[in-house]
Amino acid sequence: MGVIGHFIGGRHLKLEGGNTLQLIDPATGHALDKVSLGGAQDIQAAVEAAQAALPSWSATPPVRRAAVLFRFRDLIEKHADELAALITREHGKVLADARGSLQRGLEVVEFACGIPHLLKGEFLENVGTGVDSYSLRQPVGICAGITPFNFPAMVPMWMFPIAIACGNVFILKPSEKVPSCAMRLAELFMQAGLPQGVLNVVNGSKDCVDAILAHPQIDAVSFVGSTGVAEYVYRSGTASGKRVQALGGAKNHLVVMPDADLENTTEALMGAAYGSAGERCMAVSVALAVGDAADPLVERLSKRVRAMKVGPGTALDSDMGPLVTREHRDKVSSYVDVGVAEGASLVVDGRGLKLQGYEGGAYLGGSLFDHVMPEMRIYKEEIFGPVLCVVRVPSLDTAIELINRHEYGNGTAIFTQDGDAARHFVNRIKIGMTGVNVAIPVPMAFFSFGGWKRSLFGDHNVHGMDGVRFYTRLKTVTSRWPDGRRINAEFTMPTMR
Ligand code: NAD
């Protein structure tokens, strides 16, 4: 077992001494590597490496930057099994799911390969007599990314491929719970031809984040994690003059209309609620059953939840792996206690699951609550585990009102065969990512991802064109070339007419 250090200026820095955190395999409870918990000194070293790399990388023609991204894309594909295994080892999710999340990250790299086209500005000849105007997008400078535990590859890849394609240099601070995949991605990017210092990885937790937020040379910060920390990062970062996008937590509702195909809806709900053990910001944690849909839906769901196979992420027949840590498992389990105490009906109880041979793992079975009320904590708070709450509502408009009243606004979906109901829902709902008969409507890389309300602080979503906008500054040039005419001082507002 070793110590995972930092990756700064193209080199691994193995630290002797200093703070470390012991990583634990969530499937078995056995010790893995330790990870360094860096601080202001390590962020300073990364900033210096990034600063040294910035002038030449930002001056590299976009088409040459894209060539590096194309090679990086191929290397990720070649090493996909290895990267997925690293995700499963530290996070616990099942291998097929780890592969899927890597694929969604890879698609952002593919999007970023088109950077020469994406960076093109606008030009208008003759905005005034003999005057032309054009706009261009230039890199912001040193960008930092702070990422959560639940997507060790995908969320960092929402950020650094686009930032780097735009000509920026980047410092990534991955979640201290899952550091290895980000370190490996940085090595592969270097192998693809990325100059040293363009992508740096500093491991750590709050001390590193605070050092990023306070550092005067860091120009932009992308954050993904829980809402409390997102708000803190947004407020502190913008107060020190940085551009910040901070994506937070979620409580995603799926509306089941009485006319929905209940077999398909149940299957979609199972994957959306219990896939990745519910540790997804787009997981569905509330099913809003409209009218007559409730009884048959709960009956079908309860059978499916009981039959779900929970096991290590490396076992091919596991539907759901362990949670990320035993502490998180205990927190989620305590929410089930809360729901029972609040008076919701616990239809399936996932607490106390024991797996023979894996007694040290962070396992929890799927839980299903019925008759959950909007005043309950299990409805209001993000649980981030395999717990689905069914709320019974009389009408679609009641469902819409509940969703719109909730503090979070990440994702939602409606399952129905009625186009008019779906259209009404899409039009009225105050949520950033909305699905119609699609339970997890995560936008593809060439669209942008982001929630509303307390699920996103800042004006930009991630990836797609919003990613390009976030990682560039817009400059508009107005230009006139001498034509021999004399120019007299103008003391009024120039109008170009
Ligand atoms: P977290 O907020 O605990 O940690 C996220 C990052 O912030 C980590 O890198 C961590 O080291 C750092 N951090 C933690 N506490 C901090 C503090 N007090 N001050 C400064 N930095 C701190 O989140 P998590 O538990 O790793 O991830 C789960 C959360 O992320 C859930 O709430 C989930 O909904 C959210 N999430 C949101 C999205 C989205 O797109 N909106 C995507 C994935 C995850």
Side-chain angles (χ1 to χ4, degrees):
M1 297 299 142
V3 176
I4 301 167
H6 312 303
F7 189 79
I8 296 176
R11 287 189 307 127
H12 281 281
L13 299 183
K14 294 268 180 209
L15 304 181
E16 303 300 327
N19 280 346
T20 55
L21 174 76
Q22 177 66 60
L23 299 175
I24 303 288
D25 181 345
T28 61
H30 298 153
L32 300 170
D33 299 314
K34 289 181 176 161
V35 62
S36 297
L37 295 180
Q41 272 187 334
D42 308 287
I43 294 296
Q44 179 58 30
V47 168
E48 285 169 20
Q51 229 165 5
L54 181 61
S56 94
W57 183 249
S58 58
T60 300
V63 70
R64 285 199 8 230
R65 298 199 294 255
V68 179
L69 281 149
F70 273 109
R71 290 194 293 271
F72 181 44
R73 185 225 164 269
D74 290 347
L75 284 171
I76 295 168
E77 204 166 52
K78 190 167 156 208
H79 292 269
D81 287 340
E82 176 200 346
L83 291 163
L86 284 177
I87 295 172
T88 294
R89 184 172 127 102
E90 291 174 355
H91 177 283
K93 64 177 80 179
V94 300
L95 271 173
D97 187 33
R99 273 300 288 258
S101 68
L102 182 68
Q103 174 65 27
R104 296 307 292 260
L106 181 70
E107 285 160 9
V108 181
V109 179
E110 289 171 348
F111 171 74
C113 286
I115 203 66
H117 177 70
L118 300 172
L119 279 180
K120 284 190 300 192
E122 297 174 315
F123 189 102
L124 184 62
E125 187 184 38
N126 252 3
V127 291
T129 308
V131 179
D132 304 326
S133 263
Y134 60 96
S135 63
L136 42 108
R137 295 202 160 268
Q138 294 188 320
V140 173
I142 301 183
C143 303
I146 302 161
T147 53
F149 77 81
N150 65 324
F151 285 110
M154 184 184 83
V155 171
M157 289 160 88
W158 283 352
M159 304 173 181
F160 72 78
I162 298 180
I164 287 172
C166 289
N168 299 285
V169 290
F170 203 89
I171 300 169
L172 174 65
K173 204 297 288 168
S175 165
E176 64 279 19
K177 298 187 176 109
V178 292
S180 296
C181 194
M183 295 290 275
R184 189 70 185 115
L185 285 169
E187 284 174 355
L188 292 175
F189 214 165
M190 291 283 297
Q191 199 178 319
L194 193 71
Q196 60 187 34
V198 177
L199 174 60
N200 306 279
V201 184
V202 180
N203 283 305
S205 54
K206 180 169 170 53
D207 287 350
C208 275
V209 173
D210 287 342
I212 287 171
L213 296 174
H215 203 294
Q217 261 87 50
I218 295 180
D219 301 286
V221 177
S222 302
F223 173 89
V224 177
S226 54
T227 284
V229 186
E231 189 167 20
Y232 165 74
V233 166
Y234 184 74
R235 286 185 193 280
S236 323
T238 51
S240 54
K242 301 183 195 314
R243 180 177 283 201
V244 183
Q245 53 179 182
L247 282 69
K251 193 83 180 176
N252 306 310
H253 298 59
L254 186 149
V255 179
V256 184
M257 295 296 285
D259 69 346
D261 174 331
L262 280 187
E263 289 302 323
N264 283 347
T265 307
T266 304
E267 289 307 304
L269 259 172
M270 286 301 299
Y274 302 102
S276 201
E279 293 170 321
R280 290 180 181 146
C281 63
M282 287 293 278
V284 171
S285 47
V286 178
L288 291 177
V290 178
D292 295 342
D295 285 338
L297 179 72
V298 171
E299 194 193 323
R300 283 175 165 82
L301 278 171
S302 62
K303 282 191 197 134
R304 286 291 278 117
V305 179
R306 284 196 186 94
M308 198 162 51
K309 181 111 178 52
V310 182
T314 47
L316 292 180
D317 61 344
S318 298
D319 295 318
M320 189 172 94
L323 279 87
V324 67
T325 58
R326 284 188 294 234
E327 293 71 34
H328 187 57
R329 187 264 319 271
D330 295 345
K331 181 177 164 199
V332 174
S333 179
S334 76
Y335 266 109
V336 182
D337 305 341
V338 168
V340 172
E342 287 177 316
S345 320
L346 184 58
V347 182
V348 184
D349 184 355
R351 292 172 295 182
L353 177 81
K354 291 271 177 290
L355 288 184
Q356 207 180 1
Y358 293 93
E359 287 78 4
Y363 296 96
L364 186 67
S367 293
L368 176 67
F369 277 111
D370 193 6
H371 298 287
V372 173
M373 305 305 285
E375 306 72 48
M376 295 178 179
R377 278 184 58 204
I378 55 166
Y379 172 77
K380 290 197 278 199
E381 297 173 19
E382 182 182 41
I383 298 175
F384 219 54
V387 181
L388 177 63
C389 296
V390 177
V391 178
R392 296 173 175 237
V393 289
S395 66
L396 174 58
D397 279 335
T398 324
I400 292 173
E401 199 190 316
L402 264 184
I403 298 170
N404 287 350
R405 245 186 14 224
H406 206 285
E407 67 167 321
Y408 294 118
N410 221 35
T412 190
I414 184 168
F415 273 60
T416 181
Q417 312 216 26
D418 179 344
D420 191 40
R423 197 165 179 278
H424 178 68
F425 180 78
V426 169
N427 177 260
R428 297 282 305 282
I429 211 71
K430 293 180 180 160
I431 299 285
M433 294 169 283
T434 298
V436 175
N437 298 317
V438 172
I440 306 195
V442 174
M444 296 291 284
F446 30 86
F447 284 91
S448 296
F449 179 111
W452 288 13
K453 300 187 272 183
R454 289 176 62 76
S455 293
L456 191 152
F457 301 86
D459 300 323
H460 289 93
N461 285 12
V462 290
H463 64 64
M465 279 315 290
D466 247 18
V468 175
R469 288 184 202 106
F470 183 76
Y471 292 120
T472 52
R473 288 187 209 281
L474 185 66
K475 184 179 282 179
T476 307
V477 181
T478 307
S479 112
R480 167 157 53 201
W481 289 95
D483 58 3
R485 275 188 297 157
R486 292 236 40 93
I487 296 177
N488 296 318
E490 285 181 35
F491 297 101
T492 54
M493 185 71 192
T495 60
M496 306 254 184
R497 285 173 186 263

